[in-house]
Amino acid sequence: MLFEALQALFTPTSLLAVFIGTTSGVMVGGMPGLTATMAVALLIPVTFSLEPLTGLLLMGGVYCGAMYGGSIPAILLRTPGTPAAVATAMEGYPMTEQGRGGLALKVSVVSSFVGGVFSTFVLLLIAPALAIFALTFGPPEYFLLAILGLAGIVSMTDDENRLIKALISGLFGLIIAVIGTDPISGMLRYTAGETDLFDGVAFMPALIGLFSIAQMLELTASKSIVPDTSLITKIKREPLPKGIGKPMGLGAVVGTIVGILPGEGATIAAFMSYNIARRRSKHPELFGKGSPEGIAAAEAGNNGCVGGSLVPTLTLGIPGNSVAAALLGGLLIHGLIPGPELFTKHGVTTYAFILSLFVANVTFLLLGLFMAPYFARISLTPIPLLIPVVCLFSVLGSYAMNNSIFDVFIALSCGIVGIVLRKAGFSLGALILGLILGPIAETGFAQALIMSKGSYLIFFTRPQGLAIWAIILLLLVPPIMSIYKQSRQPKNAQN
């Protein structure tokens, strides 16, 4: 069957579909606000008139390409093209300011390739078994996974003062996340009677405001992104940093596991990979100042989520994330019902689709390596030209999500708030973590207590929960001990 799938894939029409899909995905991912979910959803009506395999290849290519494409503006402009690229921006943009934008782009595309290929291998080889494992996770485990993500706020810094500001930022994100309708009781919270807030603060406009618009506001006081343009390095002559393989591998594994769990997205995978890599790094002090390890872990994590999210989608019909949900819609339109028949009766189409993900990853790898020197020149764009162009795309992206002018005002407001918080030393990454994980933690917590009839023991008696608690402790103990030792040093010096 694999041989027949390869024959179906390596035809001019199929390969062209993969190339067009991947290239389009990179372009979509590079535009703030235009997410992979939106691109795949818009493709579904188009694919209805195509052969099932051709349509799936287009959507799969867009998915892979968009997950990588979001890193390009994140690195060069501190403007994440997709939510999953937020962690990449934290390390990529400082490297651009140092004149190492080309190297950052190279690390990004190679890491994205590694994460995507690893997760696709997992999807190809052991999808059914992993899908059954994912079903063992319930509301208690999802709540603990959200706590695990929030624990990353503590691991973002080893400084006591910065830790307090990071925790305040995370709390601010959680406060914003609870605006809207209570998911359990249906009661309205903190909406001030504004109907546009009944569904809560839209995440994508808030993200665009906090990073894209805030960054443009900050650049108004600068003449250029890179102070010394002679520092721009040539990507073809600069090898990958030594030791970059470990964070790549770590991100690929974490991203694939997170992707397999239904409802967990690439943004969470990227942040988890980034935080774990920071704790395991020999040079954690470089994180936040332009660490290639941080880019490698984050990009391998969010691209590892691609294959992982398709495991429960193809085998059980349970989407791993919002993009996988859109892909599931494409499958159903063509009469392809997830389950055993997808791998038997429609095995040629299914395996050709899975194998096409390898081709898509190779396509964006070659595209990224070839175009990276030209992408890096974006950092040389004159500020008076750059600001209006990026702001225009930011406003259009904010509006396009829900066709709402209110979302544009959210983006502009968050842009002002973002620049104030950044100048005051607060962590925008921690705020975004709180905003993402708040709803997941709240829903999981409430549903778990309903399951246990109000008993909190449900969070400590299930094997999967205990394993997550162990990981949380491993992440929390080292930074807390480090901060404690730092706080003791001045006292010991005085004695």
Side-chain angles (χ1 to χ4, degrees):
M1 188 174 292
L2 282 175
F3 181 71
E4 294 176 3
L6 285 170
Q7 285 183 317
L9 174 60
F10 286 98
T11 62
T13 302
S14 296
L15 291 176
L16 182 62
V18 175
F19 177 78
I20 292 174
T22 306
T23 305
S24 302
V26 172
M27 294 173 64
V28 168
M31 297 180 185
L34 302 184
T35 62
T37 306
M38 180 188 297
V40 172
L42 291 175
L43 268 180
I44 291 177
V46 177
T47 62
F48 187 73
S49 59
L50 301 174
E51 291 291 326
L53 177 58
T54 306
L56 287 175
L57 297 183
L58 270 173
M59 291 188 287
V62 167
Y63 190 4
C64 292
M67 295 310 297
Y68 156 66
S71 67
I72 298 172
I75 290 171
L76 298 176
L77 304 173
R78 200 171 185 165
T79 303
T82 60
V86 173
T88 304
M90 294 166 61
E91 301 299 334
Y93 188 72
M95 289 186 67
T96 297
E97 290 182 310
Q98 298 164 15
R100 303 167 66 203
L103 177 61
L105 289 169
K106 185 174 182 179
V107 172
S108 169
V109 70
V110 174
S111 303
S112 298
F113 172 76
V114 170
V117 168
F118 176 81
S119 66
T120 304
F121 265 119
V122 172
L123 172 64
L124 182 65
L125 299 177
I126 51 177
L130 291 176
I132 294 172
F133 165 75
L135 287 179
T136 64
F137 275 65
E141 286 74 30
Y142 287 126
F143 167 71
L144 292 176
L145 281 173
I147 298 300
L148 174 60
L150 291 171
I153 294 175
V154 177
S155 64
M156 282 183 177
T157 178
D158 291 330
D159 181 79
E160 185 177 1
N161 294 327
R162 290 183 180 179
L163 174 61
I164 293 173
K165 288 187 176 181
L167 291 174
I168 293 174
S169 302
L171 179 61
F172 186 43
L174 290 172
I175 292 172
I176 296 174
V178 301
I179 295 174
T181 306
D182 187 295
I184 304 300
S185 68
M187 297 292 291
L188 295 176
R189 304 175 300 192
Y190 317 118
T191 60
E194 181 62 55
T195 55
D196 289 299
L197 288 176
F198 284 5
D199 290 331
V201 175
F203 171 69
M204 199 63 207
L207 175 67
I208 290 172
L210 289 169
F211 282 88
S212 179
I213 294 177
Q215 181 60 29
M216 292 304 105
L217 289 174
E218 188 170 346
L219 283 178
T220 56
S222 305
K223 294 183 179 180
S224 63
I225 295 176
V226 185
D228 185 359
T229 55
S230 65
L231 293 175
I232 299 290
T233 56
K234 294 183 178 180
I235 189 172
K236 294 181 180 179
R237 296 183 180 179
E238 192 164 3
L240 288 173
K242 293 182 180 179
I244 206 71
K246 289 183 179 179
M248 282 185 193
L250 174 66
V253 173
V254 172
T256 303
I257 294 173
V258 172
I260 292 169
L261 303 176
E264 302 297 307
T267 310
I268 299 174
F271 269 107
M272 281 191 177
S273 302
Y274 174 83
N275 288 325
I276 294 173
R278 186 180 189 278
R279 297 313 317 170
R280 292 177 59 86
S281 173
K282 294 180 180 179
H283 303 286
E285 70 280 357
L286 297 180
F287 278 67
K289 301 175 183 178
S291 170
E293 292 183 27
I295 297 175
E299 283 302 303
N302 64 41
N303 282 269
C305 201
V306 173
S309 66
L310 294 176
V311 170
T313 304
L314 298 180
T315 57
L316 303 171
I318 302 174
N321 55 32
S322 58
V323 191
L327 271 170
L328 178 59
L331 286 169
L332 296 176
I333 281 179
H334 290 288
L336 302 172
I337 309 299
E341 282 195 357
L342 203 61
F343 291 86
T344 53
K345 183 179 178 181
H346 304 287
V348 174
T349 300
T350 303
Y351 282 110
F353 168 64
I354 295 174
L355 292 171
S356 75
L357 299 180
F358 289 110
V359 180
N361 278 279
V362 173
T363 300
F364 76 65
L365 174 67
L366 297 176
L367 184 66
L369 290 176
F370 176 74
M371 295 298 295
Y374 304 100
F375 289 150
R377 293 183 180 275
I378 294 174
S379 60
L380 300 177
T381 305
I383 296 296
L385 176 63
L386 182 67
I387 291 177
V389 171
V390 174
C391 286
L392 175 62
F393 276 110
S394 299
V395 170
L396 290 175
S398 302
Y399 178 79
M401 293 301 297
N402 301 305
N403 294 331
S404 171
I405 292 294
F406 185 79
D407 286 350
V408 176
F409 285 109
I410 287 180
L412 295 174
S413 302
C414 287
I416 296 172
V417 171
I419 192 69
V420 172
L421 292 177
R422 188 181 298 172
K423 291 293 184 182
F426 289 90
S427 171
L428 294 185
L431 192 155
I432 290 296
L433 266 182
L435 193 58
I436 296 169
L437 298 175
I440 298 173
E442 180 187 17
T443 304
F445 183 75
Q447 290 178 344
L449 290 182
I450 292 172
M451 288 172 56
S452 65
K453 298 180 180 180
S455 174
Y456 293 95
L457 290 176
I458 192 170
F459 299 111
F460 303 96
T461 55
R462 294 159 66 103
Q464 299 91 335
L466 292 174
I468 297 173
W469 275 119
I471 298 173
I472 291 173
L473 291 175
L474 287 174
L475 282 177
L476 286 179
V477 170
I480 291 175
M481 290 297 297
S482 176
I483 292 170
Y484 175 76
K485 290 178 180 178
Q486 287 183 6
S487 64
R488 296 282 297 176
Q489 284 177 355
K491 295 179 180 179
N492 292 336
Q494 290 176 1
N495 293 335

